[in-house]
Amino acid sequence: MIRREPSREDSIIERFFRPLAKHPGALALGDDAALLAPQAGFDFVITADTTTAGVHFFPDDPADLIAKKALRVNLSDLAAKGAEPVGATLALSMSAATGEVWLEKFARGLGEDCEAFACPLLGGDTTKTPGPLSISITAIGKVPSGTMIKRAGARPGDLVVVSGTIGDAALGLLALKREGLVGGLSREQIPELVRRYRVPEPRLALAPVLREYANAAMDISDGLAGDLAKLAAQSGVGAFIETARLPLSGPAENALRNEQSITGLIDDPHMLSTILTGGDDYEVLCAIPETEFHAFAEAAGAARVPVTAIGRFESGGEVEVLGSKGQRITLDRLSYSHF
Ligand code: ADP
Ligand code: MG
């Protein structure tokens, strides 16, 4: 007789991840693969993102927040495509020394967000690695057939629009790196900025509004300036944005003004660079026809997502950042790049 003892891998899956596999197609994580029936009249939208310790989060960050960020960066992609979540897979590569306490907290954070965003776990893989903790999530979403919003589609004359506020997560990361010492930021302002870095807010509520009004969209993950350049390039257009119109949180405004008061330079590019190129915003960047902007902003407001027009797409291929007197601002780099 062969008795099959569950391996540690099996018991991790069973104990921590099976409770999150609420989609019937997940087959309670008892099979080799999940099963999804295509729904008539809908397209699947599929995206993957890997988050790695030391690159996307600090190794000693709280495990529940690491899980939430890993899922939310994927949900942010779905939101920007106008999609609604269907489910997600999780490939977890961790050290053999990862303990049950850490796993319990990780699964709890993930479970809370799977529930909150109606995105059940469909399956995944659990492996050991001698390297840093790495979490790869693939999220599957759906849109009514033919309605996914692409990066291509912005037209000259469309407004450049962003959701929420820009630069907070980059400032939060800067504050973590400098142990709280960022000019213009008070001690009380830092936790909120750090929260924006650790736990982004995917703009899923904006998805149906984008489907109705946007000519093009993407989520801002690597910094507004570089991501705008990517969207413009895919659309075959140029664009300008005006720094005076950037939606900034109170703390970001303080940090910017403080630096200007030290350097004496209006539009000093250094702090602006952090805000425009630091990344991790996970806000939506989109192209909205000018005549539709009012209706778009109203619908976004009803979905509780603030939106701001910060510039315009133009013909040609240039992407420009204009300062408060209309002067061109040169940034040291456009966006975060891994390589
Ligand atoms: P296989 O050897 O066929 O890849 P596994 O034993 O790795 O199967 O996985 C068994 C089941 O558990 C599969 O349904 C798989 O999708 C699921 N699974 C494994 N790891 C995870 C994980 N980290 N999160 C979610 N589901 C997982
Ligand atoms: Mg298998």
Side-chain angles (χ1 to χ4, degrees):
M1 184 178 97
I2 299 173
R3 271 202 37 211
R4 192 179 164 277
E5 292 290 336
S7 63
R8 175 157 193 256
E9 186 186 323
D10 293 337
S11 52
I12 286 173
I13 294 166
E14 159 126 13
R15 177 169 164 206
F16 298 113
F17 298 126
R18 191 152 79 184
L20 314 188
K22 292 182 177 165
H23 194 292
L27 307 173
L29 305 187
D31 214 310
D32 294 309
L35 183 66
L36 281 187
Q39 194 179 337
F42 286 85
D43 292 336
F44 284 127
V45 176
I46 299 164
T47 180
D49 269 298
T50 299
T51 50
T52 305
V55 181
H56 302 93
F57 57 88
F58 292 86
D60 56 357
D61 277 352
D64 51 339
L65 304 190
I66 293 173
K68 284 173 189 276
K69 183 168 185 177
L71 180 63
R72 287 172 180 226
V73 299
N74 282 281
L75 297 179
S76 174
D77 281 317
L78 292 185
K81 301 297 97 186
E84 173 189 321
V86 171
T89 64
L90 164 70
L92 183 59
S93 299
M94 59 189 181
S95 136
T98 307
E100 312 291 294
V101 173
W102 189 94
L103 275 164
E104 202 273 324
K105 201 169 176 189
F106 179 88
R108 179 160 43 77
L110 188 65
E112 283 168 9
D113 275 4
C114 285
E115 203 66 46
F117 298 111
C119 187
L121 205 54
L122 293 169
D125 197 21
T126 305
T127 55
K128 181 171 79 176
T129 173
L133 173 69
S134 170
I135 302 147
S136 194
I137 291 187
T138 297
I140 299 164
K142 64 175 184 180
V143 289
S145 297
T147 64
M148 187 183 96
I149 309 299
K150 302 187 179 127
R151 289 184 182 179
R155 289 183 305 218
D158 287 350
L159 297 179
V160 177
V161 177
V162 292
S163 65
T165 56
I166 300 300
D168 298 308
L171 282 168
L173 177 58
L174 191 66
L176 284 173
K177 285 182 178 161
R178 293 196 193 159
E179 293 175 354
L181 297 174
V182 179
L185 295 185
S186 66
R187 287 260 157 220
E188 302 79 69
Q189 289 176 322
I190 289 173
E192 173 56 18
L193 297 173
V194 169
R195 195 194 59 81
R196 289 255 352 228
Y197 169 72
R198 283 191 177 143
V199 192
E201 203 55 59
R203 296 298 194 176
L204 286 165
L206 202 57
V209 186
L210 292 170
R211 289 204 305 272
E212 188 166 355
Y213 295 100
N215 280 340
M218 70 185 291
D219 78 325
I220 308 171
S221 54
D222 295 336
L224 171 62
D227 285 344
L228 174 62
K230 288 180 193 169
L231 190 149
Q234 281 297 320
S235 294
V237 296
F240 69 86
I241 58 173
E242 295 173 280
T243 58
R245 296 164 76 185
L246 282 175
L248 298 180
S249 66
E253 188 83 46
N254 288 355
L256 197 58
R257 299 288 156 257
N258 175 74
E259 188 182 61
Q260 289 174 358
S261 72
I262 293 170
T263 61
L265 291 170
I266 297 180
D267 302 317
D268 179 78
H270 186 255
M271 187 56 69
L272 250 189
S273 240
T274 301
I275 291 169
L276 287 175
T277 71
D280 273 306
D281 293 295
Y282 298 104
E283 293 292 351
V284 172
L285 167 67
C286 57
I288 306 293
E290 184 163 28
T291 52
E292 306 267 328
F293 180 71
H294 187 74
F296 170 76
E298 210 140 83
R304 303 174 151 276
V305 181
V307 292
T308 310
I310 57 170
R312 194 182 288 280
F313 291 94
E314 304 173 301
S315 52
E318 296 236 344
V319 171
E320 288 181 336
V321 177
L322 303 179
S324 49
K325 298 198 172 64
Q327 82 280 21
R328 284 185 186 196
I329 295 181
T330 309
L331 302 165
D332 355 329
R333 56 169 201 179
L334 274 184
S335 60
Y336 181 80
S337 166
H338 287 278
F339 300 101

